[in-house]
Amino acid sequence: MNSVFNAVLTLGGLGLAFGILLAVASKVFHVEVDPKITQIKEALPGANCGACGYPGCDALAKAIAEGKEAANSCPVGGSETAEAVSAIMGLESGEDSEGKKVARVLCSGCDSISKKKFDYKGIKDCKAASMIQGGDKSCDKGCLGYGTCLEVCNFDAIRIEDGIAIIDPEKCTACGLCLEACPKDVIEWVPYDQEVVVDCKNQDFGKAVKDICEVGCIACGICEKNCPFDAIHVENNIAKIDYEKCTGCMICTEKCPTNAISGELEKRKKAYIIEDKCIGCTICAKNCPVDCIDGEVKKVHVVNQEECIGCSVCFEKCPVDAIEMR
Amino acid sequence: MNYFSIFIGAVLVNNFVLAKFLGICPFLGVSKKVETALGMGIAVTFVMTLASIMTWLVQVAILDNFGLQYLQTIAFILIIASLVQFVEMFLKKSSPSLYEALGVYLPLITTNCAVLGLAILNIQNEFDLMETIVNSLGAAIGFTLAIVLFAGIRERLELADVPESLKGFPIALITAGLMSIAFLGFSSLSI
């Protein structure tokens, strides 16, 4: 009986002593930390795996709280963690689609329309293929489609379709691994909601491009002449879109003789005038780049839907918000 | 048995990781970079030395006095866990730079079997306080040596052409085994 008593007393005493010691120490050695760090630390998985590049979740939590890292920099936690962290940081969401960029393969020369220089039978890897004469694709700027980018993508966002890689903008987290992996540098950053993109990187002119690819940019400059917003320019024999200026009107998509510019015309938005609100000021008609709005002063204006290109200039200019895009 | 032979014995002959197979978890877990391995090694050295002094004192002063040797394991775990907590708080306040350097490794060591194993071995070998300190320091340096060497090899393994099926942990375990065999050579060391 005595030994049981001793044992309980000893362990209990030790436990109590250490408990008091720690309690006192936590007061004496208390260090003020940013409450955000503690909250973020709790939101993170806490596995201390180091996949983010920091030694443990604490270090990452500190970096996020200090604004050095983005809210979605934990690759393990996924979107749930990113949302929780961004809520703590007071951001709308981890993926603010405003200004969000995604990777995009700037080549649409799939197997059925592009030509091959030779029959490649080697390892199914773009880096290996590109070492032999720059790859089997006749265009030396094009996507080889052997899936080196697909191998490195951690988010299952890349698929190979008909011999070219396609990146799903919904799944892309803009980690940039595919950009580094691609030996042809055919992947570039494009704004998430950008519909109109020049899907070609070939810097040859005219016939040189036409001979090897049906959908390559031939640097004809038709897009440049037709753009109402001065948003597309041919530089180094390749059309480049200024994404800041582009309104997504798809005129260049329509006019491009080789269909090198992406954009689904069916998805094109149209301007509609809300008759109750329109005050007949003619501002929209004056600003329309294609003159498709008819209207006299003080009368309800009418948009000619056949000609409307959905550039949303009128939508922005209307002083009474009487125009909607749909 | 002089201090020197205890020290060399702890570092090389009875290396904790490679001869006694204690502390394998951090040995495999944080040995991908030499830098982090060194951080872990220093943290282990720090905690091992402090913990074995504390446990030795408790053993001699309390457990032996009351004939409670059978409570050794649970008492030692209690001591080590509280000690690590205390040291962490203390460092955070008094030396933030050291705290940053040890980082996450410090709390990780709380449940490291090498620390508990060392504390128990010190008692089993009937060391006095000075011998305990030397042995702990040796064992901790041995651990650091092993983990840093291993991390160095693993850094080079990253670049090596390893067969697909052996990539990652399999090759790491094989490497650890080979290192262990190499360290076996020290067992014939007579000091």
Side-chain angles (χ1 to χ4, degrees):
Chain A
M1 194 58 203
N2 200 22
S3 65
V4 174
F5 192 66
N6 264 348
V8 172
L9 210 66
T10 311
L11 269 192
L14 272 177
L16 193 68
F18 283 124
I20 292 169
L21 180 76
L22 287 182
V24 171
S26 73
K27 285 282 171 214
V28 174
F29 300 124
H30 183 69
V31 179
E32 287 292 335
V33 285
D34 189 346
K36 268 187 196 158
I37 297 179
T38 327
Q39 283 174 319
I40 294 170
K41 196 165 75 186
E42 275 161 23
L44 291 173
N48 292 325
C49 66
C52 52
Y54 285 89
C57 296
D58 283 11
L60 178 65
K62 199 168 167 232
I64 294 176
E66 284 169 1
K68 284 185 204 158
E69 286 291 334
N72 58 356
S73 35
C74 175
V76 180
S79 58
E80 275 175 38
T81 306
E83 267 170 41
V85 172
S86 45
I88 296 162
M89 291 299 289
L91 301 167
E92 289 276 304
S93 154
E95 296 170 23
D96 43 331
S97 54
E98 196 69 28
K100 179 190 168 187
K101 294 205 166 189
V102 290
R104 184 177 173 119
V105 179
L106 296 188
C107 176
S108 48
C110 53
D111 273 352
S112 37
I113 45 177
S114 70
K115 299 181 180 82
K116 300 265 177 176
K117 274 189 280 197
F118 53 89
D119 200 8
Y120 177 73
K121 294 263 192 233
I123 311 163
K124 280 208 169 293
D125 180 85
C126 301
K127 280 181 183 156
S130 69
M131 280 177 196
I132 305 166
Q133 297 263 309
D136 53 347
K137 200 154 255 179
S138 49
C139 171
D140 66 351
K141 297 279 191 265
C143 171
L144 296 171
Y146 291 111
T148 298
C149 50
L150 183 139
E151 294 288 322
V152 297
C153 183
N154 288 327
F155 303 95
D156 205 17
I158 306 181
R159 62 181 193 277
I160 303 289
E161 232 171 63
D162 198 11
I164 51 166
I166 295 169
I167 302 175
D168 184 347
E170 300 302 326
K171 288 182 183 166
C172 179
T173 61
C175 65
L177 287 176
C178 53
L179 271 85
E180 281 170 35
C182 181
K184 307 255 68 168
D185 288 331
V186 75
I187 307 177
E188 279 190 12
W189 297 118
V190 169
Y192 169 72
D193 46 10
Q194 181 74 23
E195 284 277 333
V196 185
V197 180
V198 182
D199 279 330
C200 181
K201 291 202 73 178
N202 194 308
Q203 293 177 346
D204 290 330
F205 182 77
K207 194 169 183 298
V209 181
K210 198 74 187 163
D211 280 348
I212 52 170
C213 181
E214 284 175 30
V215 292
C217 172
I218 53 173
C220 62
I222 290 178
C223 51
E224 193 173 352
K225 283 181 201 115
N226 281 286
C227 181
F229 306 101
D230 193 36
I232 189 163
H233 294 282
V234 176
E235 288 165 24
N236 294 332
N237 290 334
I238 182 84
K240 276 221 181 311
I241 295 177
D242 183 340
Y243 298 126
E244 299 275 312
K245 287 184 185 167
C246 179
T247 62
C249 72
M250 300 188 194
I251 284 190
C252 50
T253 310
E254 264 181 332
K255 300 284 181 187
C256 180
T258 57
N259 294 324
I261 305 175
S262 74
E264 286 178 53
L265 293 173
E266 299 87 59
K267 277 196 194 164
R268 195 186 233 186
K269 286 179 178 164
K270 297 273 178 190
Y272 290 89
I273 290 181
I274 307 165
E275 295 183 0
D276 295 345
K277 283 192 187 169
C278 180
I279 52 167
C281 64
T282 71
I283 287 178
C284 53
K286 278 179 196 151
N287 281 292
C288 179
V290 289
D291 289 330
C292 71
I293 305 179
D294 295 325
E296 287 169 30
V297 182
K298 303 268 165 94
K299 282 186 183 159
V300 171
H301 301 325
V302 184
V303 178
N304 184 348
Q305 301 298 345
E306 294 286 301
E307 284 174 31
C308 177
I309 54 168
C311 65
S312 70
V313 164
C314 51
F315 171 75
E316 276 158 26
K317 293 284 180 186
C318 181
V320 290
D321 292 336
I323 294 176
E324 61 175 349
M325 305 296 302
R326 60 187 142 99
Chain B
M1 211 167 172
N2 61 23
Y3 296 136
F4 180 73
S5 64
I6 291 178
F7 185 77
I8 292 298
V11 176
L12 296 175
V13 183
N14 293 318
N15 188 291
F16 256 60
V17 179
L18 298 171
K20 287 201 198 308
F21 303 108
L22 287 167
I24 297 293
C25 170
F27 181 67
L28 291 173
V30 278
S31 57
K32 279 203 175 143
K33 278 189 204 148
V34 171
E35 201 181 314
T36 50
L38 198 63
M40 185 71 185
I42 293 168
V44 165
T45 311
F46 197 67
V47 170
M48 265 190 173
T49 316
L50 273 178
S52 51
I53 296 170
M54 281 297 287
T55 49
W56 188 88
L57 288 175
V58 168
Q59 173 80 22
V60 171
I62 301 171
L63 299 183
D64 282 352
N65 269 352
F66 294 106
L68 292 171
Q69 283 87 349
Y70 60 91
L71 287 178
Q72 196 187 43
T73 309
I74 194 162
F76 281 11
I77 290 175
L78 184 69
I79 294 165
I80 294 168
S82 330
L83 184 77
V84 173
Q85 285 288 312
F86 180 79
V87 167
E88 198 186 349
M89 284 185 220
F90 179 76
L91 282 183
K92 205 171 179 180
K93 181 80 175 178
S94 63
S95 168
S97 53
L98 184 60
Y99 177 77
E100 289 276 305
L102 296 182
V104 73
Y105 308 118
L106 207 52
L108 277 182
I109 303 163
T110 320
T111 48
N112 189 341
C113 60
V115 181
L116 180 68
L118 175 74
I120 292 174
L121 280 172
N122 282 335
I123 308 302
Q124 273 178 6
N125 290 342
E126 295 176 348
F127 284 150
D128 63 23
L129 185 58
M130 204 52 216
E131 285 170 338
T132 299
I133 295 172
V134 171
N135 188 42
S136 314
L137 210 60
I141 288 171
F143 177 87
T144 312
L145 180 74
I147 197 170
V148 170
L149 287 177
F150 188 51
I153 296 175
R154 277 184 86 174
E155 275 188 358
R156 281 160 183 75
L157 270 180
E158 287 284 312
L159 305 171
D161 183 22
V162 180
E164 189 68 38
S165 54
L166 287 177
K167 265 183 188 156
F169 267 111
I171 194 74
L173 286 170
I174 293 172
T175 313
L178 290 174
M179 277 180 77
S180 180
I181 293 172
F183 266 67
L184 207 63
F186 288 117
S187 63
S188 60
L189 207 63
S190 56
I191 333 160

